[in-house]
Amino acid sequence: MHFLSLITLSLVLQPIWCLVTLQTIRNLTALTDESKERIVESGTVVVDQLARVLGGQLVLGGGDEEEVEDTVAAALRMLCSDLLIELEKPLSASSPLPEKQCQIVKKEYHAFLASTVQFLHEVQERQMLWHWGPQSPVFDAVVWMQGLWASRQANNQERSFIEQQMSLYSATGCFGKSQEVLRRDVEVVEYMNDLIDTFN
């Protein structure tokens, strides 16, 4: 009887595991930070102090171009794969949250955006150093990430990551009638668009 109860409980809980929740954003923040660290560990991009008078020159402390390119592409693909998994899930049913909890939700949302921008910055710095072209796996991965954020065609739910976030946060009532989630997410996509344009 106890064993059957455990099975029943697991069946009841299973749909919850397949829903996008506010915890999903926390998990994506941690994954984005981890992906950024993988890129940083491939070699730190710094400004050559001797060339600073002439405007500065980017140099990489450790790692050759092919190794760095593979690492950056792998980090992007890992992040995109997890993002796609989340996009394939339905949204959880949510209700308005109290103000104190909303403060936490907003803080975590801003932390997620900051983490994403920092990650893209690390990619951008290495792109500025190596000047990869559209044949690079890094280019393909950045385009994939941009598509997941901005396009409905990139997943079975036919909902972009921006739309998913808007729906998720709208249900909490934490952002009121403001368009902050849309505006800030679009800024991230524009950053990706600018990054894509550098691959030529």
Side-chain angles (χ1 to χ4, degrees):
M1 185 67 177
H2 181 65
F3 179 69
L4 290 176
S5 297
L6 287 175
I7 294 178
T8 303
L9 180 61
S10 68
L11 290 174
V12 170
L13 291 178
Q14 190 171 3
I16 298 176
W17 297 336
C18 297
L19 295 175
V20 173
T21 65
L22 294 171
Q23 180 61 44
T24 304
I25 300 299
R26 299 184 195 109
N27 295 341
L28 285 173
T29 302
L31 179 64
T32 304
D33 288 339
E34 179 185 337
S35 299
K36 183 193 74 174
E37 289 306 313
R38 289 184 61 181
I39 294 176
V40 171
E41 288 171 2
S42 70
T44 304
V45 178
V46 297
V47 176
D48 185 351
Q49 297 300 322
L50 295 176
R52 183 177 291 277
V53 177
L54 300 176
Q57 179 179 348
L58 291 174
V59 296
L60 189 69
D64 58 31
E65 178 179 359
E66 185 175 350
E67 178 185 351
V68 172
E69 184 178 22
D70 289 344
T71 300
V72 173
L76 278 159
R77 284 195 296 266
M78 180 179 72
L79 186 57
C80 288
S81 295
D82 274 62
L83 188 56
L84 177 59
I85 290 172
E86 299 306 330
L87 279 170
E88 298 289 354
K89 299 176 183 178
L91 285 167
S92 65
S94 185
S95 55
L97 299 175
E99 179 58 31
K100 283 189 176 180
Q101 198 167 348
C102 275
Q103 292 176 7
I104 297 173
V105 167
K106 289 179 180 179
K107 182 178 179 180
E108 290 175 343
Y109 170 68
H110 294 148
F112 169 67
L113 288 185
S115 177
T116 302
V117 170
Q118 290 165 10
F119 171 79
L120 291 171
H121 178 71
E122 294 297 335
V123 176
Q124 181 185 37
E125 283 201 324
R126 283 148 186 81
Q127 166 60 6
M128 290 172 62
L129 176 64
W130 298 113
H131 303 289
W132 295 310
Q135 74 285 351
S136 169
V138 176
F139 172 79
D140 293 336
V142 174
V143 170
W144 185 16
M145 186 174 180
Q146 190 272 356
L148 291 171
W149 272 70
S151 174
R152 294 178 174 177
Q153 308 301 320
N155 63 88
N156 292 334
Q157 294 288 332
E158 296 186 347
R159 181 178 56 238
S160 70
F161 186 54
I162 289 180
E163 290 174 311
Q164 187 188 71
Q165 288 184 88
M166 289 175 64
S167 297
L168 179 65
Y169 288 110
S170 175
T172 67
C174 292
F175 291 90
K177 295 182 179 179
S178 76
Q179 297 294 313
E180 180 180 354
V181 174
L182 174 61
R183 177 173 53 81
R184 289 181 178 271
D185 283 2
V186 167
E187 288 174 355
V188 173
V189 171
E190 288 175 347
Y191 189 174
M192 294 183 206
N193 290 339
D194 291 341
L195 179 56
I196 289 170
D197 288 342
T198 65
F199 290 81
N200 49 38

